[in-house]
């Protein structure tokens, strides 16, 4: 069994029995997609809501919700998944420093969550589980064998969705 | 990366000196608070992918105690004062006499560490403001005990919009017997670097 690590602003696909893992989600959102028929999982570590925020020419696809999610669906299809089987789970998007709440930058967590939901909706993908918001960091691990998403936080231990 | 390619050795030296001056003042303040000698390592100026930013404090999942503030004014950026759990406990004990595990902290302990972080980051920034003659205003600082990756990512939001790399000015400090050790992290927003260099009369090809 292989654990594939997904870095910040990165994405990847795994087939059973491999796992996908990303660590230290704060305001970032971990989006996982799963085709339970073909046992293919995808994960993206989304950092920012929209690629229109990019101030330089190049856009790193995995960084923005509106580019990462469509690309991840493509990658899963190339790996043999079928879009109609795919469901999503999302975790992250915390607001770790609430006091800074007024500025747009510091509200980035909730904005990321909204943008991910929007992108999933546009792709007609149903969200079956969500653990977002709050003020804590999360590490997530997706098992491509059964689609279980494990979410670990410092204060609340480990839960599975 | 393109954003940083115009840096030469001289620019790196200047950034290290910024770390030296800022963290030097903060270490002096800490030394006074603790009434102990505080040593500092040579500041590290790194241009690193976002993923690697947390590596120098133990990795993205390492649980750390952090006082975070935003720098506003002429030269925006993010400032972090980071301690591991043992160091935070020792630091609190040295200064207040309270010996409690971080997970047992209540309002008083959190508030004390908050204030310590406030004093230290304040001295870092005010020495930097004196040195550069820039107007730097700290936001109200916030304290978090959580995964380093989740915390430090707050310093990367502005950078994420222009590229995939961060420039960090990282200065480690430690008390003589290393019971208390930690890091000061300054992550300037991308538009701040030319301002910083210009304020010090340092040539910077990125000027345009």
């Amino acid at each position: 069994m292989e654990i594939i690590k997904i870095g910040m602003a990165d994405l990847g696909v795994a087939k059973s029995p491999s796992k996908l893992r990303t660590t230290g989600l704060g305001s970032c959102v971990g989006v996982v997609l799963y085709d339970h028929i073909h046992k293919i999982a995808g994960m993206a570590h989304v950092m920012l809501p929209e690629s229109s925020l990019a101030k330089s020419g190049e856009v790193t696809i995995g960084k923005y919700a509106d580019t990462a999610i469509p690309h991840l669906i493509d990658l899963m299809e190339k790996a043999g998944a079928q879009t109609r089987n795919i469901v999503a789970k999302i975790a992250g998007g915390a607001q770790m420093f609430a006091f800074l709440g007024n500025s747009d930058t510091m509200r980035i967590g909730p904005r990321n969550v909204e943008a991910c939901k929007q992108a999933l909706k546009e792709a007609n993908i149903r969200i079956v589980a969500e653990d977002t918001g709050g003020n804590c960091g999360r590490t997530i691990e997706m098992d491509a064998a059964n689609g279980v998403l494990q979410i670990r936080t410092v204060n609340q231990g480990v839960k599975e969705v | 990366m393109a954003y940083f390619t115009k840096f030469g050795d001289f620019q790196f030296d200047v950034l290290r000196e910024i770390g030296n001056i800022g963290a030097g003042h903060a270490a002096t303040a800490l030394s006074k608070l603790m009434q102990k000698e505080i040593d500092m390592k040579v500041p590290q100026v790194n241009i690193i992918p976002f993923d690697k930013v947390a590596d120098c404090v133990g990795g993205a999942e390492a649980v750390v105690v952090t006082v975070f503030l935003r720098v506003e004014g002429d030269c925006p950026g993010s400032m972090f004062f980071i301690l591991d759990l043992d160091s935070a406990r020792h630091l609190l004990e040295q200064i207040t006499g309270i010996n409690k595990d971080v997970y047992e902290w209540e309002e008083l302990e959190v508030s004390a560490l908050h204030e310590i972080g406030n004093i230290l980051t304040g001295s870092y920034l005010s020495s930097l403001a004196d040195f550069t003659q820039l107007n730097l205003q700290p936001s109200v600082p916030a304290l978090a005990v959580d995964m380093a990756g989740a915390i430090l990512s707050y310093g990367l939001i502005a950078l994420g919009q222009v590229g995939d790399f961060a420039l960090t000015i990282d200065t480690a400090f430690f008390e003589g017997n290393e019971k208390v050790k930690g890091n000061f992290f300054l992550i300037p927003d991308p538009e701040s670097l030319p301002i910083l260099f210009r304020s010090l009369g340092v040539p910077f090809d990125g000027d345009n």
Side-chain angles (χ1 to χ4, degrees):
Chain A
M1 182 198 70
E2 189 192 1
I3 296 183
I4 301 164
K5 194 173 180 259
I6 305 297
M8 195 181 280
D10 194 9
L11 42 74
V13 170
K15 290 183 182 177
S16 176
S18 295
K19 292 179 175 181
L20 290 159
R21 178 181 162 87
T22 194
T23 54
L25 289 166
S27 60
C28 299
V29 175
V31 179
V32 297
L33 302 181
Y34 190 60
D35 174 342
H36 66 102
I37 307 283
H38 299 91
K39 299 198 186 299
I40 295 172
M43 180 182 283
H45 184 138
V46 169
M47 191 179 169
L48 293 165
E50 288 158 29
S51 52
S52 60
L53 291 168
K55 289 174 187 158
S56 68
E58 321 149 29
V59 168
T60 306
I61 289 170
K63 196 187 291 174
Y64 305 94
D66 65 337
T67 51
I69 289 170
H71 187 63
L72 187 59
I73 296 167
D74 279 353
L75 287 181
M76 287 183 66
E77 281 177 343
K78 282 189 186 124
Q82 286 177 314
T83 311
R84 63 186 155 87
N85 301 330
I86 296 177
V87 292
K89 297 179 181 181
I90 60 175
Q95 193 165 358
M96 304 193 53
F97 300 101
F99 78 101
L100 294 159
N102 296 331
S103 85
D104 251 14
T105 320
M106 293 303 137
R107 277 198 68 255
I108 198 78
R111 285 170 61 206
N112 281 337
V113 173
E114 275 314 303
C116 287
K117 287 182 177 172
Q118 182 62 33
L120 288 167
K121 191 175 166 192
E122 278 166 18
N124 282 318
I125 289 180
R126 195 160 55 92
I127 299 174
V128 293
E130 175 180 352
D131 181 37
T132 57
N135 58 5
C136 61
R138 294 171 174 92
T139 283
I140 60 171
E141 194 172 286
M142 177 73 171
D143 190 341
N146 55 17
V148 169
L149 180 67
Q150 195 180 73
I151 304 166
R152 197 175 75 77
T153 58
V154 171
N155 288 317
Q156 293 144 35
V158 178
K159 67 174 166 185
E160 291 186 344
V161 296
Chain B
M1 190 72 187
Y3 200 84
F4 298 120
T5 48
K6 292 156 182 158
F7 280 31
D9 288 347
F10 183 46
Q11 279 81 11
F12 274 105
D13 281 344
V14 168
L15 294 171
R16 266 191 289 273
E17 188 54 21
I18 284 171
N20 218 358
I21 290 173
H25 279 80
T28 306
L30 181 60
S31 171
K32 281 182 187 154
L33 278 172
M34 289 177 71
Q35 302 184 336
K36 295 257 162 123
E37 197 171 310
I38 303 290
D39 289 318
M40 228 171 76
K41 294 186 181 160
V42 177
Q44 301 287 313
V45 175
N46 295 312
I47 294 174
I48 40 181
F50 294 153
D51 253 2
K52 305 276 176 219
V53 171
D55 284 2
C56 39
V57 291
E61 276 196 285
V63 178
V64 292
V65 178
T66 305
V67 175
F68 163 62
L69 58 86
R70 282 285 300 164
V71 183
E72 283 143 18
D74 294 339
C75 180
S78 301
M79 167 107 231
F80 300 86
F81 168 60
I82 300 179
L83 297 161
D84 62 49
L85 298 181
D86 275 344
S87 293
R89 185 165 59 84
H90 285 299
L91 177 61
L92 190 72
E93 189 188 2
Q94 297 263 0
I95 296 178
T96 65
I98 303 168
N99 185 356
K100 264 194 194 175
D101 191 68
V102 172
Y103 294 110
E104 296 166 356
W105 284 6
E106 287 170 39
E107 207 180 323
L108 174 72
E109 290 79 18
V110 169
S111 160
L113 205 85
H114 209 145
E115 188 51 30
I116 294 166
N118 196 7
I119 292 169
L120 302 184
T121 51
S123 37
Y124 190 121
L125 285 179
S126 61
S127 67
L128 187 54
D130 286 347
F131 175 57
T132 58
Q133 296 292 307
L134 291 170
N135 173 24
L136 306 178
Q137 293 159 354
S139 72
V140 179
L143 183 117
V145 181
D146 214 312
M147 300 174 191
I151 289 172
L152 284 165
S153 69
Y154 275 80
L156 307 177
I157 296 166
L159 284 157
Q161 298 172 22
V162 299
D164 298 319
F165 288 79
L167 183 146
T168 62
I169 304 174
D170 169 24
T171 316
F173 64 90
F174 54 95
E175 190 215 331
N177 60 15
E178 302 226 6
K179 268 193 168 171
V180 176
K181 55 185 189 323
N183 299 65
F184 291 103
F185 253 89
L186 180 63
I187 305 182
D189 287 358
E191 71 269 25
S192 296
L193 288 166
I195 298 167
L196 207 51
F197 285 131
R198 218 176 293 133
S199 75
L200 297 167
V202 173
F204 178 54
D205 290 343
D207 265 341
N208 45 30

